Amino acid sequence: EAGVVQSPRYKIIEKKQPVAFWCNPISGHNTLYWYLQNLGQGPELLIRYENEEAVDDSQLPKDRFSAERLKGVDSTLKIQPAELGDSAVYLCASSLEYGELFFGEGSRLTVL
Amino acid sequence: DQQVKQNSPSLSVQEGRISILNCDYTNSMFDYFLWYKKYPAEGPTFLISISSIKDKNEDGRFTVFLNKSAKHLSLHIVPSQPGDSAVYFCAAQDSSYKLIFGSGTRLLVRP
């Protein structure tokens, strides 16, 4: 069974540019999460989806971050415009209901 | 305000000895606790969990202990192996099923 797939693995952009990350969860997992992990820190939840509905986006900086999961399967996280402080690893995870989270390998963003 | 704290950023132990990783939390409403393991350039993987109604859960070489009165949990690895070298994250789940992670402890098991 395929795990959580994320792309790109690495992205380098200049500040003020847009960037998008894609996540395909494990088949059948209805809950999808985007986490942010800064260097030396634990993952912090940005947004959680149950199917196509965002049930917790309280930590998502909505002025520059957006996310969608239109058909309740794969998801895209966008940052526009990117700032230097956005350099981090963006992790996607999925789960069956509220069970164990399965993480992807992450997308490492560097903003110059 | 960190609700889940891992106060030791790193730990080094000899192969074959016990590794003890500690985690403290502040929210008494947390009802489920998990440990995740992370290798470099990979996402975290689930290791072991414990419900707040228990005080111990064991899975092979890994045992998690929960002390609710002290709001403290620990992960014991016995015996430690070089392949256990990784970053270990403690996480706590609240009533809305939100997972809150600690900052991690980097374990190095020396051969």
Side-chain angles (χ1 to χ4, degrees):
Chain A
E1 179 183 316
V4 177
V5 178
Q6 291 188 245
S7 68
R9 288 293 311 278
Y10 305 92
K11 188 74 175 179
I12 301 173
I13 61 172
E14 293 187 346
K15 62 181 180 182
K16 301 185 181 180
Q17 294 300 306
V19 63
F21 304 110
W22 176 80
C23 172
N24 194 34
I26 292 173
S27 177
H29 281 194
N30 62 317
T31 307
L32 182 146
Y33 312 76
W34 283 103
Y35 279 87
L36 163 70
Q37 186 176 15
N38 286 304
L39 188 65
Q41 299 295 317
E44 298 173 37
L45 181 68
L46 288 173
I47 189 168
R48 182 178 81 202
Y49 284 93
E50 287 180 22
N51 299 305
E52 64 274 10
E53 181 183 0
V55 297
D56 184 354
D57 64 355
S58 57
Q59 302 302 311
L60 189 72
K62 298 181 183 65
D63 56 336
R64 298 184 300 105
F65 287 65
S66 65
E68 59 183 19
R69 193 186 185 199
L70 295 177
K71 297 183 179 179
V73 181
D74 59 341
S75 175
T76 302
L77 177 70
K78 298 179 181 178
I79 308 174
Q80 183 172 10
E83 297 179 351
L84 294 177
D86 297 331
S87 295
V89 176
Y90 293 83
L91 292 163
C92 180
S94 69
S95 70
L96 282 170
E97 295 294 334
Y98 299 112
E100 172 192 339
L101 268 65
F102 292 82
F103 283 87
E105 293 180 313
S107 294
R108 180 178 295 276
L109 173 66
T110 302
V111 182
L112 303 176
Chain B
D1 180 32
Q2 277 188 300
Q3 296 188 63
V4 179
K5 300 179 183 180
Q6 293 178 257
N7 292 317
S8 297
S10 64
L11 175 67
S12 179
V13 300
Q14 192 77 34
E15 180 179 5
R17 307 294 288 267
I18 184 171
S19 294
I20 300 176
L21 295 92
N22 293 303
C23 178
D24 296 294
Y25 61 96
T26 58
N27 189 343
S28 59
M29 299 305 292
F30 288 145
D31 56 9
Y32 194 61
F33 303 89
L34 306 91
W35 284 94
Y36 278 79
K37 177 179 178 178
K38 184 181 183 303
Y39 291 116
E42 296 183 10
T45 56
F46 170 75
L47 188 58
I48 192 169
S49 63
I50 187 167
S51 166
S52 60
I53 63 174
K54 294 185 175 182
D55 55 18
K56 177 182 175 181
N57 188 27
E58 191 173 353
D59 183 2
R61 296 186 297 114
F62 303 89
T63 303
V64 56
F65 295 92
L66 175 63
N67 183 334
K68 286 182 63 179
S69 61
K71 296 190 180 68
H72 177 83
L73 67 155
S74 60
L75 174 68
H76 292 211
I77 307 174
V78 181
S80 301
Q81 299 174 354
D84 296 329
S85 297
V87 177
Y88 290 79
F89 291 101
C90 167
Q93 188 175 79
D94 65 16
S95 56
S96 66
Y97 301 101
K98 179 176 179 177
L99 265 189
I100 299 171
F101 286 83
S103 56
T105 296
R106 182 178 300 276
L107 173 66
L108 173 65
V109 180
R110 307 185 309 275

